[in-house]
Amino acid sequence: EAGVAQSPRYKIIEKRQSVAFWCNPISGHATLYWYQQILGQGPKLLIQFQNNGVVDDSQLPKDRFSAERLKGVDSTLKIQPAKLEDSAVYLCASSLDLAGVNEQFFGPGTRLTVL
Amino acid sequence: AQSVAQPEDQVNVAEGNPLTVKCTYSVSGNPYLFWYVQYPNRGLQFLLKYITGDNLVKGSYGFEAEFNKSQTSFHLKKPSALVSDSALYFCAVRDRTSGTYKYIFGTGTRLKVLA
């Protein structure tokens, strides 16, 4: 089966600019996650969707970050305006179930550099 | 709050020797524990999980992990290390609060297998 797709793979922007990331999860996966992975750290959950509803966005900096999952399939994550500390890898993952029992499948990530 | 700790930033082991990557957890209730591996410029890949049942869990690529409730540990092991096992390893725990769940990842342990 096809894996989780993400684009772009790399992005370099100036601070205060905006940027958007796209994720296409594995077909049929109900749950979609966006993580931020700063160099040297583990992934930190930004937002979690179940179908097209938000389950958890407690760690999403809502003054600058936004995300949506259209029709319960694809998702976009946007940053506006970007700050230097947003430089990180943004990982999208999906899983089949709604209870957190099944493993997550991760995309390759988008490496964001903010100058 | 639920948490996981990976006490070692890096583990070095000679090829052919057994390896152990340590993980301890703190949860209320029954823990759901996971191990993931990350190769350079790749997303995380699932290795194995403990939900319930046997304390020794077998996973992908010859890895296994032992759940120890009394020591609140879930160490990753492999009897004979390969150079290709060199990668970044993450332990994760499912955090379930208020009827929803999310995953909390450790900070990662870099495994270096020396030829």
Side-chain angles (χ1 to χ4, degrees):
Chain A
E1 64 183 0
V4 176
Q6 287 187 250
S7 67
R9 291 295 310 276
Y10 304 92
K11 191 74 177 179
I12 300 174
I13 61 173
E14 301 277 339
K15 60 182 179 183
R16 291 187 290 274
Q17 287 186 323
S18 62
V19 65
F21 312 128
W22 173 81
C23 173
N24 186 4
I26 292 174
S27 177
H29 280 196
T31 308
L32 184 147
Y33 314 80
W34 282 103
Y35 290 92
Q36 180 191 60
Q37 186 178 20
I38 293 173
L39 187 65
Q41 299 181 18
K44 183 185 83 171
L45 180 69
L46 292 176
I47 189 166
Q48 178 179 332
F49 294 93
Q50 282 187 358
N51 298 311
N52 60 349
V54 175
V55 173
D56 189 309
D57 63 356
S58 58
Q59 297 189 98
L60 186 74
K62 298 180 186 63
D63 58 332
R64 298 185 301 106
F65 286 65
S66 64
E68 61 181 2
R69 188 179 184 193
L70 300 174
K71 299 180 181 179
V73 183
D74 292 9
S75 178
T76 56
L77 176 69
K78 297 179 181 178
I79 307 175
Q80 182 179 11
K83 293 185 175 181
L84 296 177
E85 59 260 36
D86 298 332
S87 294
V89 175
Y90 291 85
L91 296 166
C92 179
S94 68
S95 67
L96 185 61
D97 73 329
L98 304 176
V101 175
N102 289 350
E103 62 269 25
Q104 298 174 72
F105 293 82
F106 284 80
T110 297
R111 183 177 298 276
L112 174 67
T113 302
V114 182
L115 302 176
Chain B
Q2 327 281 44
S3 65
V4 290
Q6 294 183 245
E8 301 157 318
D9 289 337
Q10 181 160 322
V11 170
N12 296 328
V13 63
E15 187 176 30
N17 283 2
L19 69 88
T20 299
V21 182
K22 296 180 180 177
C23 172
T24 59
Y25 64 89
S26 174
V27 302
S28 54
N30 295 322
Y32 288 17
L33 296 158
F34 301 78
W35 274 102
Y36 288 84
V37 60
Q38 187 175 32
Y39 297 100
N41 299 314
R42 304 273 298 274
L44 280 69
Q45 296 177 36
F46 169 77
L47 281 177
L48 50 78
K49 65 183 176 184
Y50 173 83
I51 304 298
T52 186
D54 290 341
N55 290 342
L56 185 63
V57 179
K58 294 189 182 296
S60 306
Y61 312 121
F63 284 93
E64 58 190 28
E66 185 170 10
F67 171 67
N68 188 316
K69 189 171 183 177
S70 62
Q71 297 186 5
T72 62
S73 67
F74 189 56
H75 300 333
L76 182 70
K77 299 181 179 183
K78 188 173 183 181
S80 178
L82 300 172
V83 172
S84 57
D85 293 329
S86 298
L88 192 54
Y89 290 80
F90 291 98
C91 182
V93 66
R94 190 193 74 162
D95 177 6
R96 187 176 180 91
T97 55
S98 304
T100 64
Y101 72 89
K102 63 183 178 186
Y103 297 91
I104 297 173
F105 285 82
T107 52
T109 298
R110 187 166 300 280
L111 174 66
K112 192 170 185 179
V113 181
L114 307 170

